[in-house]
Amino acid sequence: MKVEDVLHMATGDGENSYAANSRIPMKAMLKNRPLLQRTVEEVYTSLSPASTMVVADLGCSSGPNALFIVAEVTGMISDYNQNTNEEQHGVELQFLLNDLPKNDFNLIFQSLDQFHTVTRKGEGDEAATPPYYVVGLPGSFYNRLCPSQSVHLFHSSYSLHWLSKVPEELSSGEYVNEGNIHIGKTTPHSIVNLFREQFQIDFELFLTLRSKELISGGQMFLMLLGRKSEEMLTHGEIGTMWDLLSESLQSLVLKGRVEKGKLDSFNLPLYAPSVEEVKAVVNRTELFEIEHVGMVEVNWDPQDDDSDDEHMVLDTARSGRNLSMTIRSVLEPLIAGHFGEGIIDELFAVYACIVAKHLEKRNAKLPSIVVSLKKAMH
Ligand SMILES: C[S@@+](CC[C@H](N)C(=O)[O-])C[C@H]1O[C@@H](n2cnc3c(N)ncnc32)[C@H](O)[C@@H]1O
């Protein structure tokens, strides 16, 4: 099964849609703002007059986050022009919004008119938004997407932890990850390695393709789910989040609502690497220089903005529901495709309760890796 044939976030803008449940990536992206600004200004100031700056967002999905990069880059450039009293020297911006073909591109296109009205301001003055154009670019980022040396900046948020496929040894049934839907506490090491190897293959391919598409000196700003340490391969709070979903499915197996074989044969095509793993792949390819690599964390509950690491979750039932809604908006199409629509409401109600119970002990966080790369000069 190729992920590109089946994967998409929940469509539309109803209460279970990704559009209505994508606050976690937005919060993480806002934490990276100063770094993104530095990258955007560096790319912008290296352009010659009257050129077109091409920016591609990979895995844009739909809803408010899909136009985040357009709003940020245009805003950062108009602020830069205003703060430095520089002429805009006629630079225009071309945005390419990429996602898999089943993504709800129509929702993005329908929101563009209103977006233009809000962002296009002050033509002729220094704070004016530079002229920009937006197009959709359907396709997998594990394939070529753009002509050679045509892109100045690639951005990607919360997308690169998606693999191109579940490792073949698992999808063929040669290996069985019994009772788990991802790397869980009971997942054998041999299976952990299959996921890790698939990530290494996919990420190396991604870097090779993007390096062909970037202009000389072009940059990439990537954020993906990550693990905090090398040793804790099967643990950490991301592992726990999937473990609790496996537990929810196991409870439906016990009730006879899901066949055990169905659970054993389902694996999420995801991998959350450590910083060291990301660095190792980048360094092995010798295609990029690492400008910055680090981690940001946000609470599991997208509505919980308390930044104190040790804080107790006040309303665990509400936080459980909030995380459950988020994960449902990401996984519903995949889970419904494998287990059937009929279990979705029940599964995510059980998951909300199990997450709430987990949060009674302490707050939990979702770590992400942020890496900014510059195409190496050879
Ligand atoms: C969780 S959403 C992130 C959306 C948005 N960037 C954000 O930060 O909210 C992940 C997106 O990555 C897309 N995606 C996953 N694998 C992809 C691939 N190989 N090529 C293009 N898009 C992909 C999914 O379809 C989904 O829309």
Side-chain angles (χ1 to χ4, degrees):
M1 176 205 75
K2 274 175 137 184
V3 167
E4 61 188 276
D5 296 334
V6 289
L7 183 68
H8 62 89
M9 306 295 102
T11 54
D13 55 4
E15 72 164 339
N16 293 323
S17 64
Y18 185 74
N21 291 286
S22 44
R23 199 159 183 257
I24 287 182
M26 177 57 87
K27 281 165 67 175
M29 286 191 289
L30 290 175
K31 286 190 175 202
N32 296 325
R33 207 177 221 166
L35 276 171
L36 178 64
Q37 183 163 7
R38 205 173 69 194
T39 306
V40 168
E41 286 179 4
E42 213 177 288
V43 172
Y44 177 64
T45 52
S46 69
L47 293 168
S48 30
S51 47
T52 303
M53 175 169 160
V54 178
V55 181
D57 190 30
L58 306 176
C60 62
S61 196
S62 57
N65 299 5
L67 290 170
F68 172 85
I69 196 65
V70 184
E72 288 295 275
V73 173
T74 52
M76 284 168 183
I77 291 177
S78 61
D79 287 350
Y80 177 85
N81 289 337
Q82 192 178 25
N83 294 339
T84 55
N85 282 327
E86 287 222 356
E87 292 278 309
Q88 281 189 50
H89 53 64
V91 168
E92 297 186 321
L93 297 165
Q94 172 76 71
F95 289 96
L96 313 174
L97 300 185
N98 158 258
D99 208 294
L100 294 171
K102 288 187 191 311
N103 182 52
D104 193 352
F105 281 104
N106 276 337
L107 190 71
I108 311 178
F109 300 152
Q110 283 158 14
S111 66
L112 269 176
D113 249 358
Q114 199 195 349
F115 180 81
H116 292 324
T117 312
V118 177
T119 49
R120 284 193 175 137
K121 57 178 183 193
E123 265 177 42
D125 72 33
E126 282 140 11
T129 306
Y132 68 89
Y133 306 90
V134 180
V135 295
L137 178 60
S140 168
F141 49 57
Y142 295 122
N143 291 321
R144 275 294 294 271
L145 292 168
C146 305
S148 300
Q149 305 212 31
S150 63
V151 178
H152 296 82
L153 174 63
F154 281 112
H155 177 265
S156 181
S157 148
Y158 270 61
S159 304
L160 263 168
H161 44 257
W162 286 101
L163 301 172
S164 64
K165 58 182 177 193
V166 168
E168 254 151 41
E169 294 82 345
L170 276 172
S171 48
S172 67
E174 189 186 329
Y175 284 64
V176 180
N177 190 10
E178 201 180 342
N180 292 301
I181 60 166
H182 194 51
I183 298 170
K185 289 195 184 70
T186 59
T187 301
H189 246 267
S190 51
I191 292 182
V192 175
N193 283 337
L194 293 177
F195 277 103
R196 182 197 276 160
E197 281 160 19
Q198 189 63 51
F199 171 77
Q200 289 167 345
I201 292 168
D202 284 344
F203 191 46
E204 182 165 342
L205 174 64
F206 175 86
L207 294 174
T208 308
L209 296 167
R210 299 298 82 80
S211 113
K212 293 195 172 115
E213 295 165 346
L214 276 172
I215 59 141
S216 171
Q219 305 216 28
M220 295 216 279
F221 194 90
L222 313 172
M223 179 170 68
L224 66 161
L225 289 178
R227 284 195 331 277
K228 266 168 124 176
S229 88
E230 278 293 301
E231 308 81 62
M232 294 175 67
L233 197 50
T234 56
H235 300 92
E237 289 173 345
I238 290 195
T240 306
M241 202 171 75
W242 307 130
D243 253 0
L244 300 181
L245 191 55
S246 300
E247 221 179 278
S248 312
L249 279 159
Q250 287 160 15
S251 83
L252 297 197
V253 170
L254 288 177
K255 284 191 210 158
R257 299 274 294 123
V258 166
E259 280 172 37
K260 182 171 180 306
K262 275 269 175 200
L263 169 55
D264 291 345
S265 61
F266 182 73
N267 283 285
L268 291 173
L270 283 171
Y271 186 77
S274 66
V275 166
E276 290 314 314
E277 283 172 300
V278 166
K279 278 190 197 129
V281 179
V282 174
N283 291 335
R284 193 171 59 235
T285 64
E286 298 184 356
L287 295 170
F288 290 91
E289 274 146 28
I290 299 176
E291 300 275 291
H292 167 89
V293 62
M295 295 205 94
V296 290
E297 285 187 286
V298 290
N299 295 321
W300 272 14
D301 176 356
Q303 307 300 335
D304 180 354
D305 293 337
D306 191 334
S307 57
D308 174 8
D309 282 350
E310 299 302 322
H311 77 276
M312 290 302 292
V313 178
L314 293 177
D315 185 343
T316 52
R318 195 183 58 192
S319 291
R321 269 195 312 277
N322 290 343
L323 179 71
S324 182
M325 296 281 280
T326 301
I327 299 300
R328 176 176 177 159
S329 76
V330 172
L331 296 185
E332 178 167 352
L334 267 190
I335 292 190
H338 184 85
F339 296 97
E341 277 292 342
I343 66 155
I344 295 294
D345 285 341
E346 189 178 355
L347 173 66
F348 286 98
V350 173
Y351 184 55
C353 294
I354 292 184
V355 170
K357 213 164 178 39
H358 180 79
L359 291 176
E360 279 168 14
K361 287 172 253 161
R362 61 184 185 92
N363 184 32
K365 300 232 176 198
L366 209 54
S368 307
I369 296 177
V370 184
V371 58
S372 134
L373 302 173
K374 191 185 260 185
K375 184 171 162 179
M377 305 279 192
H378 286 295

